[in-house]
Amino acid sequence: MSNYQSSLSGDFAMSNGHASHKTSTVVDMPKNNLPFVDTMQTNNTSKKSSENSDNNGDENEERGNWGNKMDFILSSVGFAVGLGNVWRFPYLCYKNGGGAFLVPYIIMLFAAGLPLFGLELGFGQYVSKGCVGVWDLAPLFRGLGWTMVIVSGIVVIYYNMIIAYTLFYFFASFNKVVPWSSCDNNWNTEFCEVSKRNLSVVYNASESNATRPAEEFWLNYALGRSEGLHDMGPIRWQLFLCLLFAWIIVFLCLIKGVQSVGKVVYFTATFPYIVLFILLIRGLTLPGAMNGIYFYIVPRFDQLGNPTVWKDAAVQVFYSLGPAWGSLHTLASYNKFHNNFHRDGITVGLINCGTSVFAGFVIFAVIGFMSHDSGMPIEDVAAGGSGLAFVAYPEAIARMPGSVFWALLFFFMLLTLGLDSMFCNLETVVTAIVDELKPWYPNIYDKKTHITGISCVIFFILGWPMTTNGGFYMLTLMDEYSAGFSLILVAMAEALIISYVYGVDRYMRDMMVMLKFKMNIYWKICWMAISPSVMFFVFIFFGVGYKGLTLDDYKYPPWAEFLGWGMVIAALLPVPGYMIYFLYYKAHGTTWKERFFYSLEATDSWGPALNKHRAEANYPLLPDQPKSGLASSGFNKPSLGFNKPSAVKKQWQPPPKMMSNGTTNPAYEANGDNGMRNGFSKRNGSYGSYKKEPVVLGNKLDSVKWSRDKDVPLPYNFETSI
């Protein structure tokens, strides 16, 4: 024959430790140009081609990419740096040992936060898919991706309600004085008192039933809070309109997907830092500010012996950086293939950590002033969560000269902080939907704006109950249960599956194709052992220390907690549900054992999205992409070693048991019904010993000689003859 035919089939094609198992791609090549003969030359060609590719745009035109690297970095910073950095970290820091809390916080950052953050960035960037599509690497666990989507969906329902609260306060600040500065309003009670150091009445929570005006504004006017979850009451039109406005903002910013978000984040991700810096300068000029900062940073190392401190540090790092939400896969999936996610991940992680510490100085400088001005001890003034954002800090602002200006600045900062996280969570849901619908609707990306709009309308309607008098009870319930146990289990499973099912060495080789350098052993050790162990510790601590949910003096009834656990179960159900579905309906094999191992293998679509990148990574080419995809990128001799790359989809057929002459086909004994080569295990990309053995490719009996080389990805140094 004039040409060799090398079949990169579903069961016999193995390159760079990868295997696919459903279709075969036949590539024609000249006889004098065997694959993988000139390793150095092909690697150099691949490197030059990838560099040219990056310089020329290297875009996935169908799916879209970030406009430039800063779009992605700022979007990641906006996702990681959220409301929790401002209203949760400072409170945890002073509660858990002050400056000593930074010790467990930094340890947890490098033990779990950064490794999981980098894992998901590389995961999504490599295959250019959202949090569901990435699980083509082991389809048995595809349900983990749907768990991420469900959790993100639940979160966007109540998270945008928090943004609605900030809009409510922002609009309420347009007055001569902020409305929560006095007790002369119709929502105030007879217990309202403005405590000042130079007045005879000084607030003392232990000796008086007095309430602060900012607290009454929040509870009685902003929320109109009822007696409990059983008393939801009517919709409050002010909150309803603020929620509607919040969803309109989100939709307009996401109307063109990452292209529009990538431009919006230049403002929303940087503006909070400008405001924090301004507030810090202002806070340091106030009397009592240094007392607050001292209270914030003075180390109390005796607290480090308390396991709760370490749990709080791990939880804060985990929820701040945001692994297991699916947003990191989504953000990275729009990167160009050779983007340096390794550098970006470390940069964003350190920015996130530094922002938390910096925000603590801003908050406690003002808290110290409030303590000085009111005569209240700092521990009574300091608060976390909504108590800080909507009670303590607004009250401190009300005591400043020019309070209206500072209030507008502060709440606009909270708005921008919340919007960034909201963009990423909603984009996670939308991206998962369009990616999964693409096989049935090839032009689905053209309808992405419509899907975004429909999603916003649905989530807006689902958020209506939180605009009622009892809405804040519902928000607290969802916040407590929706993203707690579920995400910890998902993060732990993700690290273990990539390390032990897909194979951590195989994964690091994949990353090396994109980065053009090998990631060091620190990442490998963390992914295989340290990070899953940290997540397991947090999960056990959550389970052992679980207590019934309370909000101030209100204890949630059992039926409410049952509703909360229902959200946890609903988020996790796709994991076993999809396993059963895949094993029963989609897996191949005559026994359940064969079906199980089949479901652990990467699908044909796993790998880089574009053929020019699949050639670099030694993956079989996708048949649904034009041949020009390689030629236009400068691949005169791609790393697969073929001068004339072409892709012809061909379904692999099991070898016949009997040959035409009536004798047993030796290929049947070598391969069996499931098409597995003797001595080869696809799991973990591991390989047994190779020997010359006959195999059947299509209807031809071929003789293939395989050799093993530990220094280079298989199947280097093989010969094919007919």
Side-chain angles (χ1 to χ4, degrees):
M1 295 180 64
S2 60
N3 292 326
Y4 285 97
Q5 280 193 324
S6 175
S7 175
L8 305 179
S9 70
D11 293 285
F12 308 141
M14 294 156 295
S15 54
N16 198 19
H18 309 286
S20 58
H21 55 271
K22 295 184 183 64
T23 65
S24 62
T25 304
V26 179
V27 184
D28 293 330
M29 63 182 182
K31 184 175 181 179
N32 61 353
N33 192 10
L34 291 175
F36 311 106
V37 218
D38 191 349
T39 308
M40 185 65 67
Q41 181 178 352
T42 54
N43 285 345
N44 291 339
T45 304
S46 174
K47 182 176 180 180
K48 293 178 182 178
S49 301
S50 62
E51 290 173 352
N52 294 336
S53 169
D54 284 341
N55 294 334
N56 294 332
D58 188 18
E59 289 189 341
N60 186 332
E61 295 181 359
E62 182 182 37
R63 195 171 185 272
N65 291 95
W66 296 107
N68 55 63
K69 293 182 179 181
M70 284 305 298
D71 291 2
F72 167 68
I73 293 176
L74 290 176
S75 297
S76 300
V77 169
F79 171 68
V81 178
L83 295 172
N85 297 75
V86 175
W87 74 16
R88 178 174 169 82
F89 177 84
Y91 174 76
L92 289 177
C93 197
Y94 105 82
K95 188 184 79 169
N96 291 311
F101 182 69
L102 293 178
V103 174
Y105 181 76
I106 293 175
I107 290 176
M108 292 301 174
L109 175 68
F110 285 95
L114 280 180
L116 294 173
F117 193 83
L119 179 75
E120 294 196 353
L121 289 184
F123 201 8
Q125 181 175 308
Y126 190 68
V127 293
S128 299
K129 291 183 179 180
C131 60
V132 177
V134 294
W135 289 104
D136 283 345
L137 97 164
L140 183 67
F141 304 104
R142 197 179 183 88
L144 288 171
W146 286 113
T147 292
M148 296 177 185
V149 173
I150 292 174
V151 169
S152 293
I154 295 175
V155 168
V156 298
I157 296 173
Y158 76 81
Y159 201 87
N160 220 24
M161 192 66 228
I162 298 175
I163 295 177
Y165 293 149
T166 65
L167 286 171
F168 181 88
Y169 268 78
F170 181 75
F171 294 136
S173 300
F174 283 97
N175 281 290
K176 292 182 179 179
V177 293
V178 290
W180 55 85
S181 60
S182 68
C183 295
D184 302 328
N185 306 286
N186 55 11
W187 59 80
N188 293 124
T189 67
E190 64 274 16
F191 300 107
C192 179
E193 293 179 359
V194 180
S195 53
K196 300 283 287 185
R197 181 176 294 274
N198 59 351
L199 297 180
S200 57
V201 178
V202 177
Y203 173 78
N204 189 318
S206 62
E207 299 178 3
S208 171
N209 292 324
T211 56
R212 292 137 66 182
E215 182 180 6
E216 292 201 348
F217 178 85
W218 167 240
L219 297 177
N220 300 339
Y221 184 65
L223 298 179
R225 201 169 79 176
S226 64
E227 295 297 322
L229 194 59
H230 61 281
D231 181 19
M232 295 299 290
I235 289 178
R236 297 178 61 80
W237 67 267
Q238 302 98 321
L239 292 179
F240 181 87
L241 292 178
C242 287
L243 181 62
L244 174 62
F245 188 49
W247 276 112
I248 292 174
I249 294 174
V250 171
F251 171 71
L252 292 177
C253 292
L254 285 173
I255 195 168
K256 292 186 178 180
V258 294
Q259 284 78 16
S260 56
V261 171
K263 302 302 178 285
V264 173
V265 293
Y266 277 87
F267 175 75
T268 57
T270 57
F271 181 76
Y273 290 95
I274 298 174
V275 176
L276 285 173
F277 183 75
I278 294 173
L279 291 176
L280 177 63
I281 299 301
R282 180 68 181 105
L284 292 176
T285 63
L286 298 171
M290 297 310 298
N291 293 333
I293 291 177
Y294 177 81
F295 190 84
Y296 166 59
I297 64 172
V298 61
R300 301 186 297 278
F301 289 104
D302 58 299
Q303 294 284 333
L304 298 183
N306 185 353
T308 304
V309 174
W310 294 83
K311 185 267 294 183
D312 285 345
V315 169
Q316 176 61 21
V317 167
F318 179 74
Y319 287 117
S320 181
L321 287 176
W325 291 78
S327 297
L328 297 178
H329 304 95
T330 303
L331 293 174
S333 71
Y334 293 103
N335 275 336
K336 297 171 186 177
F337 185 74
H338 289 292
N339 177 65
N340 191 340
F341 72 89
H342 177 270
R343 174 202 59 207
D344 295 345
I346 295 175
T347 301
V348 173
L350 295 179
I351 289 175
N352 175 73
C353 177
T355 302
S356 298
V357 177
F358 179 65
F361 286 95
V362 177
I363 296 299
F364 273 88
V366 176
I367 292 296
F369 158 72
M370 182 178 171
S371 172
H372 172 83
D373 189 65
S374 65
M376 300 162 54
I378 292 179
E379 54 267 26
D380 289 342
V381 176
S386 60
L388 172 64
F390 301 116
V391 178
Y393 207 89
E395 183 171 353
I397 289 176
R399 298 171 183 272
M400 297 181 189
S403 59
V404 171
F405 170 77
W406 298 112
L408 291 173
L409 202 61
F410 175 73
F411 288 111
F412 194 69
M413 178 194 70
L414 291 185
L415 173 65
T416 55
L417 281 172
L419 283 175
D420 287 333
S421 299
M422 189 67 194
F423 296 156
C424 297
N425 285 325
L426 184 60
E427 183 64 27
T428 297
V429 177
V430 174
T431 296
I433 293 174
V434 296
D435 282 351
E436 294 305 298
L437 290 178
K438 187 180 182 298
W440 291 274
Y441 304 97
N443 298 324
I444 190 67
Y445 291 122
D446 297 335
K447 306 295 183 183
K448 188 175 179 181
T449 300
H450 299 82
I451 295 176
T452 301
I454 293 172
S455 301
C456 289
V457 171
I458 293 173
F459 288 131
F460 168 59
I461 294 174
L462 292 175
W464 286 1
M466 281 175 285
T467 64
T468 63
N469 297 101
F472 193 70
Y473 294 103
M474 177 64 71
L475 186 149
T476 303
L477 182 70
M478 296 178 70
D479 181 49
E480 182 70 20
Y481 287 95
S482 63
F485 291 90
S486 307
L487 293 186
I488 294 172
L489 289 175
V490 168
M492 183 168 57
E494 185 175 32
L496 293 174
I497 291 167
I498 291 179
S499 296
Y500 298 102
V501 177
Y502 184 71
V504 67
D505 291 329
R506 180 180 175 185
Y507 180 78
M508 294 186 75
R509 287 197 299 269
D510 292 341
M511 300 304 101
M512 185 166 59
V513 174
M514 292 191 296
L515 296 173
K516 305 174 187 174
F517 63 84
K518 186 177 181 180
M519 300 175 71
N520 61 47
I521 197 172
Y522 154 76
W523 302 95
K524 182 177 180 178
I525 294 174
C526 288
W527 292 336
M528 295 185 71
I530 299 177
S531 298
S533 300
V534 170
M535 291 297 99
F536 182 73
F537 158 74
V538 174
F539 178 76
I540 294 298
F541 201 99
F542 263 116
V544 173
Y546 174 77
K547 297 179 181 178
L549 180 61
T550 60
L551 176 61
D552 297 333
D553 296 330
Y554 175 74
K555 180 175 175 57
Y556 280 76
W559 64 267
E561 292 192 45
F562 181 79
L563 182 64
W565 283 108
M567 286 187 282
V568 176
I569 295 173
L572 291 174
L573 269 180
V575 179
Y578 193 86
M579 285 181 176
I580 296 172
Y581 164 74
F582 190 87
L583 287 171
Y584 191 79
Y585 290 103
K586 302 192 73 174
H588 294 178
T590 57
T591 66
W592 287 108
K593 181 179 179 180
E594 291 175 358
R595 288 172 173 263
F596 175 74
F597 282 104
Y598 176 95
S599 64
L600 298 179
E601 303 166 12
T603 66
D604 291 340
S605 61
W606 166 255
L610 302 180
N611 273 342
K612 57 186 174 182
H613 298 140
R614 296 179 75 86
E616 291 182 53
N618 290 343
Y619 272 92
L621 306 183
L622 297 174
D624 56 349
Q625 292 186 17
K627 299 177 184 179
S628 59
L630 283 168
S632 62
S633 61
F635 275 76
N636 296 322
K637 186 177 181 182
S639 54
L640 276 175
F642 307 127
N643 282 335
K644 294 173 58 180
S646 62
V648 180
K649 189 172 182 179
K650 182 178 179 182
Q651 180 66 39
W652 181 86
Q653 298 294 331
K657 186 172 183 180
M658 304 299 295
M659 300 183 70
S660 57
N661 59 6
T663 60
T664 301
N665 184 358
Y668 181 84
E669 297 178 356
N671 296 281
D673 288 326
N674 62 347
M676 293 291 287
R677 177 182 298 278
N678 184 31
F680 163 58
S681 172
K682 295 177 189 174
R683 190 181 184 189
N684 296 331
S686 58
Y687 298 84
S689 59
Y690 288 91
K691 59 182 180 180
K692 185 174 182 179
E693 55 187 24
V695 296
V696 170
L697 302 179
N699 296 319
K700 298 179 182 292
L701 182 63
D702 296 354
S703 177
V704 180
K705 182 177 73 175
W706 295 82
S707 65
R708 186 173 185 177
D709 189 339
K710 295 181 180 180
D711 297 327
V712 292
L714 290 168
Y716 280 81
N717 306 322
F718 76 86
E719 297 175 354
T720 305
S721 61
I722 296 178

